[in-house]
Amino acid sequence: MAGGNAHNTSRLTTTVGCQIGDAAWRRSPGSQFASPLVTTTELGLVHTQSTVFGFDKADGTVAFTHSLPGGVAAAPAVTDNLVVVPRDTVGEGFDQIDLDTPTVYAIDHETGRRAWEHTVDGSFLASVTVADDIYVQSDREVHRLTANGTAVWRHSFEQPFDLQKIVSYIRPVVGSDAVYVVHRGGVIRLNRATGEAQWTRSAWEADFPPVVVDGTTLLASTGDAVVGLRPDDGRVRWRVDESPAWGPAVTDAVAVFDIDDGGLLGVDPTAGEEQWRTEDGHTICPPVVASGSVFTGGTTLSAVDTATGDRVDTRDVRTSVDWITPDADGLLVRESILGAPTIKRYSLR
């Protein structure tokens, strides 16, 4: 959900296995963190309250650490050679915050050295998105930056976000010619080239960032429904009256939602027709798609076939998996062990 995926869904384009192997290693960063895990080819990146850690994915050894001012914000993202990290003016567990303005820091993920920084108006930052450029959203504005930190455009909001709405899974979403953001419960389409607002859909409360399926459909998750919108004007194409616990994980053929009442729901993303449904209880982290499987977490780590909804593998982790990041080498997960966050690496075959 963060990094170099221009579709900005939970989708992974590379082929991975669906059988969950043993944990290759586990590490604790020694500090609380809430943001999603991000990977590069070599590293697993973790953003804690005071430090960015780069763990070697092969064995879990620490490749670099970089301390940053401010409080922990949302998820970082990666470019070819940088990890771009948002930092806030508030932070859990801090008596004093040494940052007056939300700031985005770019760190070389090979050397761990700071490359540049960019300040943003407001108090709170959402997760960073990387497509062709870098997109950053605060409670007051959206910025588009080049890979060297140069501002391309800035879009300001008339009213700021509520603090409770800026969380690690809120982020700008980049389509072919537009950027979509959730602000104060509404979805806003911005011109990708200029940052100018093109339409706002605010008739219902959007709880998660939308997902671009293709040129005909934009998926939005509200408090009580899954909605398919027309990207050109924001009009509703279809609606499924189910309460999603998270935003969807998407393939070209199916959008997978974790439903509050329990289980997963597979929906045709262009027509809104139900494809399949599971009856298992809902997970405590967003579902994520890799190849032909959707991975879910909780007290078990599971893989479900995206075409049928059939479970293909499961592993009892005897704790609580609350984030999953798949890549070609396996699953990087965050687990809570005796109240302390722990990073684990599971193999896939």
Side-chain angles (χ1 to χ4, degrees), residues 1-2 12 36-39 45 288 295 323-327 330-334 344-345 348:
M1 293 180 68
L12 185 72
L37 309 170
V38 180
T39 64
L45 300 166
V288 58
F295 294 93
W323 196 270
I324 305 169
T325 301
D327 61 24
L331 300 178
L332 192 68
V333 307
R334 182 179 66 215
K344 279 189 181 180
R345 181 74 172 175
L348 290 173

Side-chain angles (χ1 to χ4, degrees), residues 64-79:
F64 77 83
T65 63
H66 191 101
S67 297
L68 291 170
V72 63
V78 294
T79 69

Side-chain angles (χ1 to χ4, degrees), residues 9 21 28 33 35 42 74 96-97 131 141 205 224 253 263 276 302 326:
T9 70
S28 174
F33 68 99
S35 69
E42 304 294 335
Q96 242 180 343
I97 294 294
E141 54 189 19
E205 191 78 6
D224 58 1
W276 50 260
S302 300

Side-chain angles (χ1 to χ4, degrees), residues 298-322:
T299 56
T300 61
L301 188 58
S302 300
V304 173
D305 189 286
T306 56
T308 64
D310 295 335
R311 179 171 290 187
V312 293
D313 197 23
T314 186
R315 175 171 288 272
D316 185 357
V317 297
R318 299 180 181 178
T319 178
S320 177
V321 173
D322 52 19

Side-chain angles (χ1 to χ4, degrees), residues 283-302:
T283 69
I284 62 172
C285 68
V288 58
V289 166
S291 300
S293 299
V294 54
F295 294 93
T296 62
T299 56
T300 61
L301 188 58
S302 300

Side-chain angles (χ1 to χ4, degrees), residues 16 29 89 95 112 147 169 182 202 205 219 265 307:
V16 303
T89 59
D95 295 326
Y169 43 77
V182 171
S202 56
E205 191 78 6
L219 299 185
L265 177 65

